[in-house]
Amino acid sequence: ATRDTTRFAWPSLAPLSYSATDLSDGEREEVTFDGLHVTGVFGTTPLPFDLTLPSPVFGPGSMALLARAVPLREGYTATAPTFSGEHRLRDAAIAVVGREDADRRDGTTVSAFVVETTVGRQTQRYFVDPETRDLLKMTVAPAPGYLLEGTPH
């Protein structure tokens, strides 16, 4: 399990900071964004970095927010540049792949938009309420044959 915190500027969604600790092995990531200047540490024995990026990026932890912000229409696709201490620069592929029934907090069912985000080999699916843009659930397959499903609390 990982404990993480992401901070964004409003309304631009520009990343301000990200911190995460892997509770199983103590791996730590701390990233501070100041425009194109990025500083931080990463690793179980945290190694520092200090970089200037070529263009604006989205920070770690931004995929759920992006999934709720894109135009909710089947077939929509986009690419968003991302940065993390572990992988540095990577493109995130975002696609609205269809609709599936999902439960709202009040117990009613809605035909939610399914938004997939892929960064590297990791694909997550977000189920977004078409009326409120609330995140109803998310799924991720961390390894073949495994599927983790989460709901916001």
Side-chain angles (χ1 to χ4, degrees), residues 30-133:
E30 292 181 17
V31 183
T32 300
F33 297 87
D34 183 10
L36 299 178
H37 186 220
V38 180
T39 58
V41 296
F42 176 78
T44 51
T45 305
L47 299 173
F49 57 87
D50 186 332
L51 307 166
T52 299
L53 302 175
S55 60
V57 297
F58 289 97
S62 62
M63 292 300 103
L65 188 59
L66 290 175
R68 294 173 55 209
V70 299
L72 294 176
R73 68 174 186 272
E74 291 182 47
Y76 175 84
T77 62
T79 302
T82 66
F83 178 90
S84 74
E86 179 177 10
H87 299 291
R88 304 299 196 253
L89 289 171
R90 282 182 147 180
D91 282 338
I94 304 166
V96 181
V97 298
R99 293 179 88 143
E100 289 185 27
D101 286 348
D103 294 331
R104 291 178 168 149
R105 287 184 192 204
D106 66 6
T108 60
T109 300
V110 65
S111 178
F113 281 98
V114 181
V115 181
E116 284 187 353
T117 63
T118 302
V119 181
R121 295 181 298 187
Q122 182 77 55
T123 297
Q124 295 181 316
R125 298 178 78 193
Y126 298 91
F127 296 75
V128 180
D129 188 312
E131 296 170 20
T132 64
R133 291 190 175 260

Side-chain angles (χ1 to χ4, degrees), residues 7-24:
R7 292 181 43 232
F8 302 96
W10 183 257
S12 69
L13 304 183
L16 298 174
S17 65
Y18 176 77
S19 64
T21 302
D22 186 322
L23 301 177
S24 64

